[in-house]
Amino acid sequence: MEIRQIYYVLEIAKQKSFSGAAKTLFITQPAISQQISALENELQTKLFLRDTHKVTLTKDGERFCEYGKKVLEAVDNLTEAFGQGRSDQKTFLNVGVFPFYRVSGLAQAITNFFSTNTNVLGSLKVMENYKAFDLLSEGKIDFAIIKAIPDDVPSGLIYDILAEENLCAVINRENDCEEEEFIQIKKLGDLPLLTGEKGSSLYDYMKNIYEKNHIRFNVAFFNTKAIDLMLEMIASGTGILLATESVAREIAKGPAKAYRIEPKEKLWTMLVYKKDRRLKGAEIAFRNHILQYYQNDFQGAEEMIVETVE
């Protein structure tokens, strides 16, 4: 039995829902269900009664909660004695992420952090870079993980450069594209582009690429958060997407193919936070976790970097 399993049981009992508890604890529903099943197998009993409308405790579940609260109280007393605080004094981290964070594998890395740090609660929001910069400067979010150019980051913010990747064009496989592995940037003007909403940093970045190469900025759809719709539009051949290698490779597992752009265009993945704030406890742990992920587990970048820029 693990301490976190006790937290899970008590939270499910409180929320009367596995999905609600998973959301509060910032882990996936399959992960919390797996932990409860393992615990029930170990105890050789059922802790919850499940139906389509709600989740309720069994008699043994009620007994488990009664004893579990005493265990956590003892843990609280122990950790508090060593200056580590109590479980009801949770740290909150607010994090902004780039739109295709799920496709890139970042979602799993973030989930792993919060599932192993049960005293930390997280709020994760998809946002474009300009919005992230504003919220960081105002102290309304703690971190932002973005795709950008280093020169675009405001001077009041610090960033860790996590990865440098080539830009790729993700195109439906049925599109008449003669190239095998790459596509000349001049040909992009003939293809309808899916990008971030007008005025966003992604939109401006793409527009700049088109303009400096003297090609038509042929936008078919722009919306930073409509990721599922964009994927459907790629699958139907309605438009193409320009994305970094790690994202493009995952999307291309479906009815699409990723072509490297020639000449090369690059985009960086960065962890950004406020310059004048001193990171503490959970913030340091989160930063280290993300850095470690990009050093050890991240796949698809041309070059992985660990560099902090003030």
Side-chain angles (χ1 to χ4, degrees):
M1 186 187 303
E2 299 180 17
I3 294 294
R4 64 173 174 167
Q5 291 173 317
I6 302 176
Y7 282 108
Y8 294 170
V9 171
L10 294 178
E11 192 62 34
I12 294 169
K14 178 182 177 181
Q15 300 289 338
K16 295 182 174 59
S17 164
F18 275 69
S19 60
K23 184 177 180 180
T24 300
L25 295 168
F26 207 87
I27 62 175
T28 63
Q29 184 172 338
I32 198 170
S33 296
Q34 184 180 26
Q35 287 295 323
I36 296 303
S37 294
L39 180 60
E40 289 177 329
N41 288 336
E42 180 181 349
L43 298 175
Q44 296 185 352
T45 189
K46 288 292 183 183
L47 301 176
F48 295 99
L49 296 174
R50 307 164 176 84
D51 60 36
T52 56
H53 301 291
K54 63 180 179 179
V55 174
T56 56
L57 288 166
T58 63
K59 290 294 184 183
D60 281 343
E62 292 176 357
R63 282 205 307 144
F64 184 92
C65 289
E66 180 182 348
Y67 284 105
K69 290 175 182 178
K70 294 177 181 179
V71 171
L72 294 187
E73 184 177 356
V75 172
D76 282 341
N77 292 335
L78 177 63
T79 56
E80 191 172 29
F82 288 87
Q84 298 302 310
R86 299 177 62 84
S87 62
D88 57 359
Q89 298 172 337
K90 293 181 181 291
T91 300
F92 291 85
L93 287 182
N94 295 301
V95 183
V97 290
F98 58 87
F100 283 89
Y101 79 102
R102 288 186 179 277
V103 179
S104 72
L106 179 60
Q108 186 59 54
I110 294 175
T111 295
N112 290 343
F113 173 81
F114 286 104
S115 65
T116 55
N117 292 270
T118 55
N119 280 353
V120 184
L121 295 179
S123 172
L124 198 70
K125 294 182 180 179
V126 173
M127 60 185 65
E128 68 91 22
N129 296 350
Y130 292 158
K131 181 67 173 179
F133 295 153
D134 289 342
L135 293 179
L136 285 168
S137 298
E138 295 167 4
K140 293 182 179 179
I141 62 174
D142 302 297
F143 294 99
I145 304 174
I146 63 172
K147 300 278 189 179
I149 299 173
D151 288 345
D152 287 344
V153 179
S155 58
L157 302 176
I158 296 175
Y159 56 88
D160 298 311
I161 296 180
L162 304 172
E164 175 185 336
E165 299 178 78
N166 288 323
L167 206 60
C168 296
V170 184
I171 303 174
N172 184 282
R173 291 182 184 275
E174 296 181 1
N175 190 290
D176 185 19
C177 189
E178 298 177 357
E179 288 83 355
E180 290 294 325
E181 300 295 337
F182 65 90
I183 184 171
Q184 291 292 334
I185 200 167
K186 295 290 185 182
K187 293 186 176 182
L188 295 181
D190 298 328
L191 302 170
L193 178 66
L194 312 174
T195 186
E197 59 250 31
K198 192 173 183 180
S200 68
S201 56
L202 180 62
Y203 181 96
D204 292 344
Y205 171 71
M206 298 301 175
K207 185 177 181 181
N208 179 63
I209 290 176
Y210 278 64
E211 289 181 346
K212 75 179 183 180
N213 286 281
H214 307 290
I215 55 179
R216 184 166 66 104
F217 191 44
N218 181 15
V219 177
F221 178 81
F222 47 82
N223 190 316
T224 299
K225 297 180 181 180
I227 304 307
D228 291 339
L229 181 56
M230 284 187 176
L231 294 178
E232 289 181 12
M233 294 176 77
I234 294 172
S236 66
T238 306
I240 70 166
L241 181 74
L242 299 188
T244 54
E245 291 169 282
S246 56
V247 171
R249 186 187 65 247
E250 291 301 312
I251 297 176
K253 290 179 179 179
K257 183 173 180 179
Y259 297 89
R260 295 193 308 272
I261 293 174
E262 293 290 344
K264 292 180 180 179
E265 292 286 345
K266 292 185 179 293
L267 202 57
W268 286 257
T269 305
M270 295 180 281
L271 177 68
V272 188
Y273 43 102
K274 200 171 182 181
K275 185 175 183 179
D276 60 0
R277 69 177 296 169
R278 182 178 179 181
L279 299 184
K280 300 178 182 179
E283 297 168 338
I284 295 174
F286 181 79
R287 175 177 178 267
N288 289 342
H289 181 85
I290 297 301
L291 290 175
Q292 184 178 18
Y293 165 71
Y294 275 91
Q295 284 181 301
N296 300 331
D297 302 321
F298 180 68
Q299 300 293 324
E302 178 178 280
E303 183 178 1
M304 272 70 77
I305 306 171
V306 177
E307 178 184 357
T308 302
V309 181
E310 298 188 10

